[in-house]
Amino acid sequence: MSVIALNDVVKRYQTGHETVEALKDVDFRAERGEMVTITGPSGSGKSTLLNMIGLLDTPTEGHIRLDGRDVTDFTEDELTEERRSEIGFVFQDFHLLPMLTATENVELPTMWDTSVDRHDRAVDLLHRVGLGDRLDHRPDQLSGGQRQRVAIARALINEPDILLADEPTGNLDQDTGRTILEELTRLKEDENIAIVSVTHDEQMVGYADRVVQLIDGEIQ
Ligand code: ADP
Ligand code: ADP
């Protein structure tokens, strides 16, 4: 069963009298252990599609299923809970808090949860992304690639089924980008998660199991 599936999704934005159809009847799915990469020109609907997959915005028409459950009509609170437990987010510019150590940054999404041993899990994840010797470093004491590894560890702290990555190599040089892509490839198998990314990076497209190209709101 697909971990995430969009069926016949339409997204329209209304600004004043103008309506933009950002997604036109889109079908999309991702499986565990698979990296799906979304590409397409600026304005083709990539961010809109990523927002739908990340349950950050709701479709105008169509259905979204998470692990087979239809979440289309979930309330905002229910969607927030699904996002927190099922989806990890990684961004181009890392989004780390500068005053916190690597370990504290990784623990951050679980601050509300006292039931798990957050610290041990954060340390374990940092070891798994090769940063076992950088646990107490702050972001400004880390390289770009190391910062992105911290961000990836943070995205995995709640044991999500899906990792969403928005241009994860966008701020990295080619070689560092490759090490991050190799890391993601390893993680998708070890953790059995679906990775869905949006990118302009040709190198990243090469690491995808499947490429979804959007043009003018339609999958080609
Ligand atoms: P991409 O990420 O591929 O650049 P977007 O998903 O951001 O594309 O945008 C797709 C289309 O939807 C564009 O025409 C854009 O102007 C429009 N759009 C995106 N977000 C909004 C919004 N919040 N309100 C109105 N129009 C939007
Ligand atoms: P990028 O191409 O850098 O990803 P986007 O074009 O997707 O940036 O836009 C960034 C933000 O602006 C998104 O939250 C998107 O929803 C919003 N946005 C994009 N186009 C419009 C628009 N025409 N009107 C209002 N908001 C928009």
Side-chain angles (χ1 to χ4, degrees):
M1 187 196 307
S2 303
V3 62
I4 180 89
L6 276 61
N7 295 112
D8 304 322
V9 162
V10 175
K11 180 64 180 181
R12 289 187 204 97
Y13 294 110
Q14 189 85 44
T15 42
H17 291 295
E18 203 196 347
T19 303
V20 175
E21 200 160 73
L23 296 176
K24 304 167 181 167
D25 216 21
V26 162
D27 286 306
F28 178 91
R29 66 189 163 73
E31 320 291 337
R32 283 189 183 73
E34 180 182 51
M35 174 137 50
V36 184
T37 295
I38 302 165
T39 65
S42 184
S44 60
K46 301 183 298 297
S47 302
T48 302
L49 179 56
L50 205 66
N51 287 345
M52 299 288 132
I53 298 166
L55 310 180
L56 292 162
D57 201 357
T58 51
T60 312
E61 292 172 20
H63 287 272
I64 301 183
R65 286 186 185 80
L66 198 61
D67 265 328
R69 292 172 299 133
D70 196 325
V71 299
T72 316
D73 296 324
F74 274 28
T75 64
E76 193 50 53
D77 283 353
E78 289 170 325
L79 288 175
T80 302
E81 182 49 39
E82 295 295 336
R83 245 190 338 264
R84 191 151 59 191
S85 56
E86 308 288 350
I87 304 171
F89 293 88
V90 172
F91 306 93
Q92 176 171 359
D93 47 5
F94 320 131
H95 289 198
L96 300 176
L97 292 184
M99 301 308 289
L100 300 184
T101 66
T103 308
E104 290 165 344
N105 266 288
V106 175
E107 281 181 60
L108 207 56
T110 60
M111 283 307 182
W112 54 277
D113 189 350
T114 51
S115 68
V116 291
D117 197 335
R118 299 178 279 125
H119 182 77
D120 285 359
R121 178 150 171 79
V123 168
D124 177 52
L125 278 166
L126 284 166
H127 274 102
R128 274 196 267 165
V129 297
L131 289 180
D133 56 349
R134 295 285 187 279
L135 299 176
D136 296 323
H137 285 56
R138 290 194 318 271
D140 66 356
Q141 299 169 315
L142 299 170
S143 69
Q146 290 172 335
R147 288 180 207 181
Q148 193 58 298
R149 284 166 201 273
V150 174
I152 290 167
R154 180 189 52 193
L156 295 175
I157 189 91
N158 284 328
E159 302 183 307
D161 289 330
I162 307 166
L163 189 70
L164 285 189
D166 195 352
E167 298 275 6
T169 58
N171 275 330
L172 304 174
D173 62 57
Q174 184 109 352
D175 286 348
T176 309
R178 186 178 320 117
T179 67
I180 290 297
L181 292 168
E182 281 161 6
E183 190 70 51
L184 289 173
T185 302
R186 200 173 55 71
L187 286 168
K188 105 193 155 181
E189 285 154 12
D190 289 357
E191 312 279 326
N192 198 28
I193 52 174
I195 300 181
V196 179
S197 67
V198 163
T199 193
H200 290 99
D201 179 359
E202 279 302 318
Q203 180 171 246
M204 173 130 212
V205 171
Y207 279 82
D209 298 302
R210 215 142 47 77
V211 179
V212 167
Q213 184 164 30
L214 271 177
I215 294 182
D216 199 18
E218 290 180 286
I219 290 178
Q220 300 302 297

